[in-house]
Amino acid sequence: MPETQPPARPGADPEPVLHEDHLDYTPATRSVPLARRRAARLVTEWGHPGIAGDLALVVSELMTNALLHGSLRGRLIRVRITATGTALRVEVSDPRGERLPCPRAADGDDQFGRGLLLVGALADDWGVRPWAGVGKTVWAQWDLAVTPCGADPLRGRKE
């Protein structure tokens, strides 16, 4: 299983969040495509259209896992997306902290079991952490090695 927290740069201050969005969804199958479309639209608006497709697929996989394995009647599933100058991150939180994600090898005929493999293949890093003591948050993160559309390519560079 991946690390439970994203790796921290030694001695580095937390990077300021440039963009942030979160929305709570009911545990219903129609929530998955709504979250996927919203995530792709936001990431594109934030200047990262090249990552939007991969991020949308990861949101879909994490939302589906939360719906199938982490939902409880009357409790919401939260999707949070943040962008800093160097990373884009998606988090999906659900109320079932005791049910941790576990990648597994799916056989050729298996209908399920490939979602976390896709997350690991598409994102630069992913993991899980407790959520407010009553659940868990599964996160995926992309390193932003390219300058977002419309951004100043010299901003933040050291001379």
Side-chain angles (χ1 to χ4, degrees):
M1 173 175 257
E3 295 180 23
T4 58
Q5 294 290 338
R9 296 181 314 234
D13 291 329
E15 206 174 346
V17 174
L18 302 175
H19 301 285
E20 180 175 8
D21 179 78
H22 72 270
L23 192 62
D24 294 335
Y25 294 88
T26 60
T29 55
R30 69 182 178 277
S31 298
V32 175
L34 292 172
R36 180 179 57 236
R37 284 192 299 270
R38 181 181 179 90
R41 179 182 54 78
L42 287 170
V43 170
T44 299
E45 288 174 3
W46 294 349
H48 304 287
I51 299 174
D54 287 353
L55 187 128
L57 181 54
V58 167
V59 166
S60 182
E61 292 298 334
L62 296 182
M63 279 288 292
T64 299
N65 282 351
L67 180 67
L68 293 175
H69 308 293
S71 62
L72 291 172
R73 181 181 289 277
R75 299 292 302 272
L76 299 174
I77 297 168
R78 172 167 288 178
V79 176
R80 179 175 180 252
I81 306 168
T82 57
T84 66
T86 61
L88 188 61
R89 183 179 176 96
V90 62
E91 300 175 351
V92 176
S93 302
D94 67 58
R96 300 289 302 267
E98 76 281 6
R99 300 191 74 183
L100 298 176
C102 183
R104 63 182 179 94
D107 291 332
D109 294 338
D110 287 346
Q111 183 178 358
F112 300 101
R114 294 175 182 83
L116 292 175
L117 297 175
L118 283 171
V119 171
L122 295 173
D124 292 319
D125 197 9
W126 77 275
V128 62
R129 63 178 170 77
W131 179 41
V134 295
K136 68 181 172 299
T137 297
V138 182
W139 55 268
Q141 185 167 303
W142 289 259
D143 297 329
L144 298 177
V146 297
T147 303
C149 299
D152 181 356
L154 298 178
R155 187 177 136 230
R157 282 196 185 169
K158 293 181 182 178
E159 294 295 326

